[in-house]
Amino acid sequence: MPTCPNCGEIVMNGDPYCPNCGTTFKRSNVEGLVDEFKNFHFYAFDGYNIGNYEFAMNSLSVAFGKYMHMTNSQRARVKHA
């Protein structure tokens, strides 16, 4: 679990601020965005395999939306994974 660098309170991944002290976070978690892309890509593949094509396309759309927000170094991590 990540913690707030200001007060040490546990925060959920993706929270824009600490619920305890209000510190705002600048998210630069390289692994987080790459992992989200991989998860949605997997969901798309899984949805396709079970015949749920609408779910597969929606998941693929989210995956590539995440990809578009990645830096070049994050994209390189996807290509080499």
Side-chain angles (χ1 to χ4, degrees):
M1 270 291 169
T3 58
C4 174
N6 187 45
C7 71
E9 180 75 17
I10 294 174
V11 295
M12 301 304 291
N13 274 336
D15 280 355
Y17 61 90
C18 174
N20 184 49
C21 69
T23 299
T24 57
F25 307 120
K26 180 180 177 186
R27 296 289 180 187
S28 61
N29 184 354
V30 171
E31 295 301 322
L33 195 54
V34 171
D35 287 343
E36 288 177 24
F37 170 82
K38 289 178 183 179
N39 286 340
F40 279 101
H41 189 265
F42 172 77
Y43 298 152
F45 185 75
D46 196 41
Y48 178 81
N49 282 337
I50 64 172
N52 190 342
Y53 303 119
E54 183 177 356
F55 176 77
M57 290 303 297
N58 287 337
S59 297
L60 196 57
S61 176
V62 172
F64 284 104
K66 303 244 179 236
Y67 187 83
M68 295 302 296
H69 288 96
M70 288 183 189
T71 64
N72 287 337
S73 65
Q74 288 171 317
R75 289 178 182 178
R77 291 169 90 48
V78 169
K79 292 177 186 174
H80 299 297

